[in-house]
Amino acid sequence: MIRTVPTKPYSDQKPGTSGLRKKVPVFQQEHYAENFIQSIFDALDGFKGKTLVIGGDGRFYNREVIQKAIAMAAANGFGKVMVGQGGILSTPAASHVIRKYKTFGGIILSASHNPGGPHEDFGIKYNAGNGGPAPEKLTDAIFEKTKTISSFKIADIDPIDIDTTGTVKAAGMTVEIIDPVADYAELMESLFDFDALRKLFKSGFRMRFDAMHAVTGPYAKEILENRLGAPNGTCRNFKPLPDFGGHHPDPNLVHAKHLYDEMMGPDAPDFGAASDGDGDRNLIIGKGIFVTPSDSVAMLAANARLAPGYKAGLKGIARSMPTSGAADRVAEKLGIGIYETPTGWKFFGNLLDADMATICGEESAGTGSNHVREKDGLWAVLLWLNILAARGESCKQIVTEHWATYGRNYYSRHDYEEVESDRANALVDELRAKLASLPGTSVRGLKIANADDFAYHDPVDGSVSKNQGIRILFEGGSRVVFRLSGTGTSGATLRVYIERYEPDKSRHDLDTQAALADLIAAADDIAGIHSHTGRPKPSVIT
C-alpha cells in the first residue's frame, strides 16, 4: 500500500516568511506539492506514530492537496491526522488544535490574504508542536531537503471523505475529520465575557463583519450570530469559496472599501470588521473612524485587562519593527517589556513561549496573544467588542481618548506590488550601500539622525536575524522603513512605512497623508522609488 515514487528537485521551493507560496499552476506541476510535503517530513524527526493536523482556508486546490498530504502522512509513519471538515481550518484555529491536542505539528494550506482561483495563489506551510510557524532553522532545513529530494512516499488509498466528521482508518493510520469551529469557539468563550457581549447586541448595538468569502465565515457566523445573538445578516460573505467570490481577501481599505464606505456613511453600524483568506488578519473600523493596525495593537494592549482572559495584566508587548511605536508608549505606562522583532509571526513564538509577551501585533493587520501561536483576526474583533461593552463608549471615543493620553503616531504603509525583482533588489542594494553616509544629512528639511539595516537579537535563544528592513530615523522621532515583502507570489513587493509621532492633542485630527507628506517625499528622494520602480505612486496605501 506504500509506494516510493522517484522525483526530481524543483529549484524554487524556498519558503518565505509564512511557508511556500506560488501560483496554482506551479503547484499543479508533476510532484511539486509532493516534493515540498516530503521535504517537510524529511526535515523532521520523531513523528512516527504521532498526530498531524491538516487544514486550509478553502481556496482552489485546497481539497486536492489535502488528499495528497493525508496519503503521504500515512506513508511516512504518522499515527493519526486530524483534518478540518471540508478541508476548512483557519490558521489560528489550526494553531489551537495543535496546542490543545498536543499534536506533533500541522500542515496549513493557505496563501493568506492573496487571491485564490485556478490561476491565483496557493501555499503550504508547516506549524510546529507549539502551534506556531516553523522557525527559520526548520524552514532552512526544509529548503535544503527540496534541493536534493529524489523520491517521496505515498500510500495507495481511496480519497478520504473530508466532508463528514468522524474517524476512519487509512493505510493503518487514523484519520479524524473534526468540526473546524467547535474548539476555537470554546477557546474564545474562555477569554471573553460572552454574557456582556450578548447584552451589548441585545441593546441594539449594530455590527458588520465581512468574512470576504474566506475561512473566517463559519467561525464568525457561529460565534457572533449563533452564540452572541448578533442579528442575522451581521456576518457578510460568510461562505468560504475557492476563489473568494472573485475578490482579493485582504482586509484593507482598498479591498474592503465597501465596508469602509458603509462605516463612514450616514446610517453606519456601530462597529465594522473584516478578516482575510486564512483568518489571521483583521480590519477594524468604528462608526466614522478607521483604526490603523498599529493603533489597534496599542489600544487592545491598553484595555486588555477588561477581558476576563487578560484581567491579570500583560507580561509584555511585542511588535514587528515596521509597526508604529504606539504600543511602546503603552508598555512604558504599564511598566512591562516591549519587544521589536522582524516581520513574521514566527519571531513572536519564542517570546510567547517564554512568557515574556502576552499581546503581539504587526502593521499588516495581524494581532494576537498567547492563546495561540498565530495572529488571530476574529480574536482581535472579539477583544474590541469586549472593550466596547466594558467601557460603554464608542470606538471613536476610545481612539481619541487613547491619542489624548499617549499621543498619536501618524502612520501609513505604501506598497509597490509586483515590481520586477531586479529593479526592487537594485533599489535596496543601492540604499544599503549609502546607509553609512546618511546620518547628519538633511532631506526636505528633515535631519537624519541614524540609518541602519535592522538586525534582531532574539532575547530567548540568542539567534540573530539580519537584513530585516532598512530604517531611516529622523530627529524628533519620525522614521521611514523600506522592506521587500516575502508574502507575494510574483515579482517583489516594496513596502515603505512612514511614521510621525505627534504629542500635541490639537494636531490629532490631521489627514494622515498630509501629516506625512514631507516624509513621503523624503522617502522617494532617499531611495529613488520612482526612478527604480517606474511607479509614480503606490499600488496600495494603508
Side-chain angles (χ1 to χ4, degrees):
M1 297 175 71
I2 306 299
R3 284 190 298 133
T4 299
V5 181
T7 190
K8 293 180 180 179
Y10 286 91
S11 62
D12 61 348
Q13 293 194 328
K14 182 176 176 61
T17 54
S18 211
L20 179 68
R21 293 182 188 169
K22 302 288 180 183
K23 295 295 182 184
V24 167
V26 175
F27 271 102
Q28 289 175 324
Q29 295 176 93
E30 185 180 34
H31 301 163
Y32 193 91
E34 291 90 337
N35 275 20
F36 191 71
I37 293 169
Q38 186 64 56
S39 296
I40 292 173
F41 295 156
D42 288 346
L44 300 172
D45 288 312
F47 57 77
K48 301 293 183 184
K50 301 290 179 66
T51 300
L52 180 73
V53 173
I54 302 175
D57 60 13
R59 68 178 55 234
F60 188 88
Y61 208 47
N62 192 62
R63 298 173 74 93
E64 292 87 344
V65 177
I66 283 177
Q67 296 291 345
K68 296 175 190 286
I70 292 172
M72 291 182 68
N76 279 273
F78 278 94
K80 178 179 180 179
V81 292
M82 300 174 73
V83 184
Q85 184 182 19
I88 293 294
L89 204 56
S90 78
T91 292
S95 179
H96 176 54
V97 170
I98 291 169
R99 293 170 62 77
K100 178 178 179 179
Y101 296 102
K102 297 180 171 57
T103 73
F104 187 84
I107 288 178
I108 300 174
L109 307 177
S110 172
S112 188
H113 55 290
N114 294 351
H119 301 286
E120 296 296 349
D121 298 351
F122 190 77
I124 303 176
K125 76 168 184 172
Y126 178 75
N127 276 34
N130 72 340
E136 279 192 318
K137 185 168 68 174
L138 180 52
T139 55
D140 288 345
I142 293 169
F143 181 45
E144 290 304 313
K145 295 292 184 183
T146 69
K147 296 177 183 177
T148 58
I149 188 170
S150 59
S151 66
F152 62 87
K153 293 179 182 177
I154 191 163
D156 278 327
I157 57 175
D158 292 331
I160 302 295
D161 176 8
I162 61 173
D163 294 308
T164 304
T165 57
T167 301
V168 297
K169 285 281 189 179
M173 180 183 75
T174 300
V175 180
E176 183 182 4
I177 309 301
I178 64 170
D179 180 330
V181 176
D183 289 319
Y184 179 85
E186 180 185 88
L187 176 63
M188 294 300 105
E189 195 155 2
S190 74
L191 296 173
F192 303 116
D193 187 347
F194 272 30
D195 286 338
L197 297 187
R198 290 186 189 101
K199 290 177 184 174
L200 181 68
F201 283 115
K202 200 170 184 179
S203 73
F205 181 87
R206 295 166 58 220
M207 176 185 177
R208 178 77 69 226
F209 181 86
D210 190 346
M212 306 186 86
H213 285 304
V215 79
T216 314
Y219 297 84
K221 189 79 172 171
E222 171 63 22
I223 294 173
L224 295 174
E225 295 188 12
N226 296 350
R227 299 198 182 197
L228 296 178
N232 188 39
T234 293
C235 298
R236 174 191 286 164
N237 302 323
F238 58 83
K239 184 179 180 181
L241 298 175
D243 65 349
F244 306 114
H247 300 294
H248 194 142
D250 191 352
N252 60 34
L253 299 185
V254 173
H255 301 298
K257 186 177 185 299
H258 56 277
L259 178 63
Y260 176 83
D261 290 344
E262 182 179 7
M263 295 305 300
M264 299 299 146
D267 189 35
D270 299 292
F271 188 67
S275 189
D276 72 326
D278 67 330
D280 64 357
R281 299 185 183 211
N282 67 89
L283 171 67
I284 302 296
I285 312 179
K287 183 189 289 187
I289 190 165
F290 162 61
V291 185
T292 70
S294 291
D295 272 352
S296 185
V297 176
M299 292 165 190
L300 291 177
N303 293 279
R305 69 190 184 285
L306 298 174
Y310 306 94
K311 63 183 179 184
L314 309 180
K315 294 294 179 68
I317 306 170
R319 65 166 177 85
S320 64
M321 180 274 288
T323 303
S324 90
D328 303 32
R329 293 174 175 83
V330 173
E332 183 180 8
K333 186 170 183 178
L334 294 176
I336 58 177
I338 181 75
Y339 304 95
E340 185 179 36
T341 75
T343 296
W345 203 260
K346 58 192 174 186
F347 293 103
F348 294 138
N350 278 355
L351 297 168
L352 293 168
D353 287 344
D355 206 23
M356 295 170 68
T358 306
I359 284 183
C360 307
E362 297 180 329
E363 52 69 39
S364 54
T367 327
S369 83
N370 58 353
H371 69 291
V372 290
R373 293 298 181 269
E374 288 278 6
K375 46 191 178 245
D376 188 347
L378 193 51
W379 169 88
V381 173
L382 290 168
L383 181 49
W384 262 104
L385 287 171
N386 202 137
I387 292 165
L388 293 169
R391 289 184 54 162
E393 296 174 304
S394 71
C395 182
K396 192 168 190 175
Q397 286 174 306
I398 290 170
V399 170
T400 53
E401 287 177 23
H402 184 96
W403 289 340
T405 302
Y406 296 96
R408 180 176 182 182
N409 290 70
Y410 281 102
Y411 182 89
S412 186
R413 186 177 98 186
H414 290 197
D415 288 356
Y416 297 81
E417 296 178 336
E418 296 188 356
V419 176
E420 289 178 32
S421 294
D422 289 348
R423 286 183 164 212
N425 289 326
L427 182 153
V428 170
D429 290 344
E430 287 183 22
L431 190 52
R432 280 198 178 113
K434 64 181 181 182
L435 284 177
S437 65
L438 290 176
T441 63
S442 294
V443 185
R444 304 271 174 164
L446 300 161
K447 190 169 185 180
I448 298 175
N450 197 13
D452 65 10
D453 200 343
F454 178 63
Y456 177 61
H457 298 259
D458 193 302
V460 179
D461 64 16
S463 62
V464 178
S465 300
K466 297 181 178 179
N467 302 325
Q468 296 297 318
I470 295 172
R471 303 187 295 182
I472 311 297
L473 310 175
F474 298 93
E475 290 184 355
S478 297
R479 66 173 186 157
V480 175
V481 175
F482 301 87
R483 182 177 161 269
L484 292 183
S485 171
T487 58
T489 58
S490 60
T493 296
L494 172 67
R495 303 199 196 282
V496 185
Y497 311 85
I498 308 106
E499 178 179 6
R500 163 171 278 132
Y501 176 64
E502 180 54 72
D504 185 352
K505 184 179 175 181
S506 69
R507 292 178 55 80
H508 285 174
D509 59 353
L510 304 177
D511 173 77
T512 297
Q513 299 306 310
L516 298 172
D518 55 345
L519 286 162
I520 293 168
D524 190 26
D525 289 350
I526 293 167
I529 299 171
H530 187 183
S531 60
H532 275 289
T533 67
R535 309 283 181 86
K537 62 181 182 179
S539 314
V540 180
I541 295 176
T542 50

